[in-house]
Structure formats: C-alpha cells, structure tokens
C-alpha cells in the first residue's frame, strides 16, 4: 500500500522527501558512526565515512528521481514512447562487512525509482539498519515504505526471496549463498542483483612509482580488516622489482595500526566474530611462514594480525577469498604474464594497476576481467559510478547514473496517429 502511494507522487515530491531523509541522516552521522563501531568493530574514521556515504547516496539518488526519463522512438503511423515503471516491493539483503553503506546502495535508488524497500540486515549487524529506518520515519517518509526485517538468512532472507509480493532481490554476500538466491529467483522469474565475492589483483609493474605503490598496498587489503570483497588480496609484482617492492612493503604493513576502533588513530579493528577469526586462521596456521606479519592487540576482541604470504599461483591462499587481513604476493615476468595471473580466478570484482605507462594502463585495464579497476590508486568504488563484478563476483550493477533504472520495468506505448 505504501509503495502504490509513493509511486503516485510526482518525482519532485519523492526527491524532496529523500533529501529530507539525507538531511536527517546527516544530523545523526556521529550517532550512526558510533553505532557502527559498537556492532561491527569498524575504526571510527571508517565508520564516519560509511555514515556519510549513506547521506551522499540518498542525495544522489534523489536527483535521479526527476531524471528517470523514457525515450521517444520514431516509428511509422504514430508516436512511440517508453516509461520506467517501478517494480513494487524490493528486498535488499545486506551483509555484515559494510552494514550501513551497502544497505543504502540498494535502498536509495529503489526508493527514488518509486519502490518500497524491505531491508534484511545481517544477523550480526542489525542495529544501524534499524536506526536508519527510524530516521526515515523521522524525516517524513511514509510509514511502511522502508521496513527493516532482522533475522537469520535461512529464515528471514529465504522468506523474502520466495515471497510472491517481493518483485526483486538485491543481495550482497558470499558467492555460495548468491547462487542459491539466484536459483530461487529463477524459479519465480524474479530479477536479482548480486554482489558477491572477490579475489582482486593489485598489479605492480617495474616502471611504477614503487614507493607510492608499496605505501598504498596495505590499505588495499587491510581496510575493514580485509573484510571487503574488493580487497586487493593478490599482490602481483613484476619480477625485476619484486625485492625492492617487498623491502618497501614491510614497514608500510607494520605501520597500519591495529587497536581500539573508537580511537581516531586506529586504522584496523578486530574481525567480526570468533567464528570468522577461526575461518581466517584456517588459511594461515600459526606455523605458516609469512613474508610479513604485523602486530595485533592481545586483549578482548577478535584480533588477527596483518599478514603477507609469498605463494604459488595454485595455492589455496592465492585462489580463495579469505576475507581477512591476509594478502599473497606473486611475481610475474611481463604484461601477458600479469594478465594471465590476474585472470586466474573465478572472481572478477575489482583490481588495481600501478604503472607510469598510460598505454599499458589502458591495455591491462581492458584485458583484466573485472568490473571495477583503478590505475595508480585503489579507489574504484564511488556512489556516482557503476559497481559490480564479472564471472562469479556477481550479476548486475549498482550505483552510478543507471542505478534507478535497475529498479524499474520498461513499458513501451504506441499511440496511433492514423485517422
């Protein structure tokens, strides 16, 4: 009921209400950030960015509500126009690693396009989602338009996927669960957007500014304690620069401070749970030789040190998503070898290329099978640009100028002008 009334509003009125929602989030940024620290262990600096990303995305999506235009297509005998009609009720199943922003990645454009949203947060991180729903009501969004449904994935999540009243499912999480959701949606001919796992490469050529590449590398796989599908957890270094790069990398990794998430100086917090820490440990036993091993607090919390392993291309640590503060380093010989190693995975979400050769940067960017790449940077995710993966990293795209269209059906209408 709320969705039908919302869709009937003029686009400008929907946009104004979403901007009020953004302003309300902005007024509660510190509260939301502190809540993220408490329930997810994110460093406060990261958590403030995440809360700000929700605000910015709501503002950006609000602008799209009035720009969701159809087309006039020349045809014989009349006028042909298309409309973007909202789907109805959209289920957004959000993960625990970035609870606030990823919830908004699905919810904001879906709302702007005229849909209602049922948000299912992860079992371990429901609090920020529940607070966000309260802020939506405080901002004046209609009751029933943006619901949060906490619960276990196999119960609440599965119910949303199977419910005939849910018109689309947006899921961020593991590839294994994504495949099950895709199968359930296929049985019901229900559209789905999937953002799944990754094992992204960080390709460092010998002609790169090695000091800059080494200084930036720790953040690419230690941000959020490595609990990031875009983590550049495979560092591929050209053989002629390998030794020098490793010399530069070690102090950079050790300087990535782990500690109290509420301390602004902290760059890395604990892992999400004891069970997840055991999963990470299973990949790197204590006896495993590490090229670089950082420090982590010994007190309360699910701590794990930053770890860099030298590996062979076929090793489990080089092919499977660890989802922790662990990276492997692999040497390569030339451009073709770098591309071969970069693509030697079932995933294709993100990656980085470090080189001073613009031609090489473009060639390798086109050759690497990944949805989001950055050159001489690890910044490849922005709310104003498309995000999504190749291969088993997902299906569909989120964010960017086309995000709203993904929450609509295209309707074609022909008006005859024959007398």
């Amino acid at each position: 009921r709320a969705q039908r009334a919302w869709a009937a509003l003029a686009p400008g009125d929907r946009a104004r209400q979403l901007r009020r929602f953004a302003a309300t989030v902005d007024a509660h940024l510190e509260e939301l950030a502190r809540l993220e620290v408490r329930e997810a262990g994110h460093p406060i600096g990261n958590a403030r960015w995440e809360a700000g990303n929700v605000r910015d995305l709501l503002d950006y999506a609000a602008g799209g509500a009035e720009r969701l235009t159809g087309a006039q297509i020349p045809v014989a005998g009349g006028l042909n126009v298309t409309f973007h009609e909202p789907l109805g009720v959209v289920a957004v199943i959000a993960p625990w690693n970035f609870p606030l922003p990823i919830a908004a990645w699905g919810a904001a454009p879906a709302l702007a396009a005229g849909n209602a949203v049922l948000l299912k947060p992860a079992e371990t991180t429901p609090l920020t989602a529940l607070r966000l729903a309260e802020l939506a009501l405080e901002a004046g969004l209609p009751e029933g338009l943006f619901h949060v449904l906490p619960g276990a994935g196999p119960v609440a999540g599965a119910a949303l996927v199977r419910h005939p009243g849910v018109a689309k499912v947006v899921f961020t999480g593991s590839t294994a669960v994504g495949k099950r959701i895709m199968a359930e949606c296929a049985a019901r001919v229900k559209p789905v957007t999937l953002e799944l796992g990754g094992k992204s490469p960080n390709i460092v050529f010998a002609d790169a500014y090695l000091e800059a590449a080494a200084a930036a590398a720790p953040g690419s796989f230690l941000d959020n304690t490595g609990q990031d599908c875009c983590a550049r957890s495979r560092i591929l270094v050209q053989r002629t620069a390998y030794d020098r790069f490793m010399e530069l990398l070690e102090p950079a990794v050790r300087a990535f401070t782990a500690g109290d998430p509420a301390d602004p100086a902290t760059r890395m917090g604990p892992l999400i749970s004891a069970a997840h820490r055991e999963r990470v440990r299973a990949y790197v036993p204590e006896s495993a030789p590490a090229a670089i091993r950082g420090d982590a607090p010994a007190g309360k919390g699910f701590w794990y040190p930053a770890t860099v392993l030298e590996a062979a291309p076929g090793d489990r640590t080089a092919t499977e998503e660890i989802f922790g503060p662990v990276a492997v380093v692999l040497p390569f010989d030339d451009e073709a070898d770098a591309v071969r190693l970069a693509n030697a995975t079932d995933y294709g979400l993100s990656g980085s290329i470090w080189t001073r050769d613009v031609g090489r940067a473009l060639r390798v960017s086109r050759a690497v099978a990944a949805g989001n790449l950055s050159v001489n940077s690890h910044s490849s995710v922005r709310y104003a640009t498309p995000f999504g993966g190749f291969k088993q990293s997902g299906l569909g795209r989120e964010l960017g100028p086309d995000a709203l269209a993904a929450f609509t059906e295209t309707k074609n209408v022909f008006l005859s002008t024959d007398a």
Side-chain angles (χ1 to χ4, degrees):
R1 290 194 297 271
Q3 186 275 325
R4 287 193 290 270
W6 177 250
L9 290 177
D13 292 335
R14 286 206 304 272
R16 273 187 288 277
Q17 291 201 42
L18 288 174
R19 289 192 182 100
R20 283 200 294 270
F21 187 10
T24 305
V25 168
D26 188 54
H28 293 81
L29 281 188
E30 189 66 15
E31 176 198 346
L32 288 167
R34 294 285 174 182
L35 196 55
E36 192 86 318
V37 171
R38 284 168 52 203
E39 77 167 343
H42 293 185
I44 184 62
N46 292 33
R48 286 171 177 148
W49 176 89
E50 291 166 38
N53 185 254
V54 176
R55 172 204 59 209
D56 295 343
L57 185 55
L58 284 165
D59 265 331
Y60 182 79
E66 295 181 279
R67 295 169 179 81
L68 194 58
T69 57
Q72 184 270 314
I73 303 171
V75 294
L79 175 70
N80 200 93
V81 293
T82 62
F83 298 93
H84 288 290
E85 302 287 5
L87 297 171
V89 177
V90 173
V92 176
I93 303 176
W96 52 259
N97 61 326
F98 290 103
L100 264 174
I102 294 181
W105 290 9
L111 290 169
N115 301 280
V117 171
L118 273 164
L119 169 62
K120 208 295 285 184
E123 298 93 309
T124 47
T125 54
L127 300 183
T128 50
L130 289 164
R131 186 62 182 131
L132 202 60
E134 290 174 349
L135 294 178
L137 289 174
E138 184 179 317
L141 260 65
E143 189 172 354
L145 186 70
F146 179 44
H147 268 304
V148 172
L149 182 69
V155 181
L160 288 174
V161 170
R162 295 170 184 157
H163 198 289
V166 170
K168 177 173 180 171
V169 175
V170 178
F171 171 78
T172 300
S174 73
T175 298
V177 175
K179 288 178 178 179
R180 293 201 294 271
I181 288 174
M182 187 175 179
E184 291 277 5
C185 288
R188 293 159 178 80
V189 198
K190 183 179 295 189
V192 61
T193 295
L194 303 174
E195 198 276 279
L196 308 175
K199 191 70 174 175
S200 300
N202 176 13
I203 308 170
V204 181
F205 286 94
D207 72 335
Y209 291 108
L210 294 181
E211 290 78 7
S220 76
F221 72 93
L222 297 177
D223 185 57
N224 202 29
T225 321
Q227 300 165 131
D228 181 354
C229 330
C230 291
R232 276 67 162 169
S233 56
R234 292 185 300 143
I235 307 174
L236 314 181
V237 185
Q238 195 158 19
R239 201 176 299 275
T240 54
Y242 190 90
D243 291 342
R244 176 58 180 156
F245 180 84
M246 293 299 288
E247 289 174 3
L248 295 165
L249 181 64
E250 183 167 5
V253 169
R254 294 190 181 281
F256 208 91
T257 311
D260 180 359
D263 184 345
T266 294
R267 300 182 70 190
M268 189 170 82
L271 292 167
I272 188 68
S273 66
H276 188 60
R277 181 172 59 182
E278 290 311 305
R279 181 183 182 277
V280 173
R281 279 178 175 166
Y283 281 93
V284 193
E286 293 295 328
S287 59
I292 304 169
R293 195 185 292 272
D295 299 318
K300 185 178 180 181
F302 309 117
W303 300 102
Y304 195 87
T307 304
V308 178
L309 306 172
E310 292 183 297
D315 289 353
R316 182 177 175 224
T317 51
T319 57
E320 297 181 21
E321 186 177 38
I322 299 173
F323 222 61
V326 180
V328 298
V329 186
L330 300 152
F332 67 86
D333 293 314
D334 55 21
E335 197 172 300
D337 195 30
V339 171
R340 179 185 62 79
L341 284 173
N343 289 338
T345 170
D346 290 335
Y347 298 110
L349 185 57
S350 198
S352 300
I353 301 154
W354 291 79
T355 178
R356 283 183 273 180
D357 184 331
V358 175
R360 168 178 284 158
L362 290 172
R363 287 192 304 271
V364 176
S365 294
R366 295 301 301 272
V368 172
N372 306 269
L373 293 165
S374 52
V375 176
N376 296 330
S377 158
H378 298 301
S379 177
S380 56
V381 182
R382 294 171 178 81
Y383 62 80
T385 58
F387 178 75
F390 286 21
K391 300 191 283 188
Q392 293 193 34
S393 284
L395 184 69
R397 292 293 179 269
E398 296 181 294
L399 308 177
D402 299 327
L404 272 67
F407 294 98
T408 66
E409 290 277 21
T410 299
K411 178 181 287 182
N412 190 76
V413 179
F414 170 73
L415 294 87
S416 174
T417 54
D418 290 343

